[in-house]
Amino acid sequence: MHLLIHPGWQDSCPSHWQTHWQATLPHAQRVSQADWLQPELDDWVASLDTQIEAAADPVLLACHSLGCLNLVHWAQRYPHKATKVAAALLVAPADVERPDAPLAIRGFAPIPRQALPFPCTVVASDNDPFSQLASSRALAQAWGAELVVLKGAGHINSDAGFGPWPEGQALLDNLRARVTC
């Protein structure tokens, strides 16, 4: 199964878990975006669609922050392509609707809240500075996702100490096993 790794706003740095996974997991590819600093929803969705369509088999996605929201917008726009996605790991979905959300990412609001047509797991932290746990919990419920809550994990990125993140790989493996059984 092909793994698409979708970073959030500003991309993922070399020490981020997504970069480690891209370098070490077989069949892993990073979603590319033309502009990581000034994201435009239509451009991001189109780029993701191109990369999902290019995959020979259904893809497994590992999304972080704004990348999570981009996948959800993609699913809303292209429900007829849902079979192209086997499952998704949605880590620290950004709350672009919060009052202090950076202007650069507010174009991803409103956040779609319909159930996703593929299995997914939302991983959230109880102290994420970019999304309150209540918001992540509500999104997971709306999307029909399993919710995994990490204690004191911040934004679940390299700034919070998440480098290779083997526990996250275990969550990804569990999700993969759910769709290949």
Side-chain angles (χ1 to χ4, degrees):
M1 185 177 307
H2 191 75
L3 174 63
L4 280 180
I5 297 172
H6 195 331
W9 181 40
Q10 302 176 356
D11 202 356
S12 292
C13 69
S15 59
H16 194 284
W17 59 268
Q18 286 185 311
T19 304
H20 285 280
W21 290 11
Q22 181 183 358
T24 60
L25 296 179
H27 310 293
Q29 177 184 357
R30 184 184 298 254
V31 171
S32 60
Q33 295 294 352
D35 192 341
W36 290 105
L37 301 180
Q38 297 296 320
E40 295 291 334
L41 177 60
D42 291 342
D43 294 344
W44 273 41
V45 169
S47 179
L48 178 60
D49 183 55
T50 297
Q51 291 171 75
I52 289 173
E53 282 294 315
D57 298 314
V59 298
L60 175 63
L61 281 112
C63 303
H64 183 255
S65 194
L66 196 62
C68 300
L69 301 189
N70 193 46
L71 175 61
V72 174
H73 279 284
W74 176 87
Q76 180 180 21
R77 291 184 187 189
Y78 299 107
H80 58 285
K81 296 183 180 185
T83 58
K84 295 289 290 182
V85 175
L89 183 67
L90 305 173
V91 180
D95 183 357
V96 296
E97 297 171 347
R98 70 187 196 278
D100 64 339
L103 184 60
I105 63 173
R106 289 186 188 171
F108 285 72
I111 300 170
R113 286 177 164 74
Q114 71 268 18
L116 293 171
F118 42 79
C120 54
T121 299
V122 169
V123 183
S125 171
D126 64 354
N127 69 339
D128 187 336
F130 305 114
S131 183
Q132 296 292 317
L133 182 55
S135 174
S136 296
R137 183 173 277 121
L139 290 175
Q141 183 176 4
W143 296 337
E146 173 187 3
L147 176 65
V148 175
V149 178
L150 304 181
K151 302 287 184 195
H155 195 49
I156 315 174
N157 58 8
S158 55
D159 289 344
F162 287 82
W165 194 30
E167 299 84 1
Q169 283 188 33
L171 292 170
L172 184 71
D173 290 343
N174 287 340
L175 191 56
R176 185 190 327 255
R178 284 177 40 199
V179 297
T180 57
C181 292

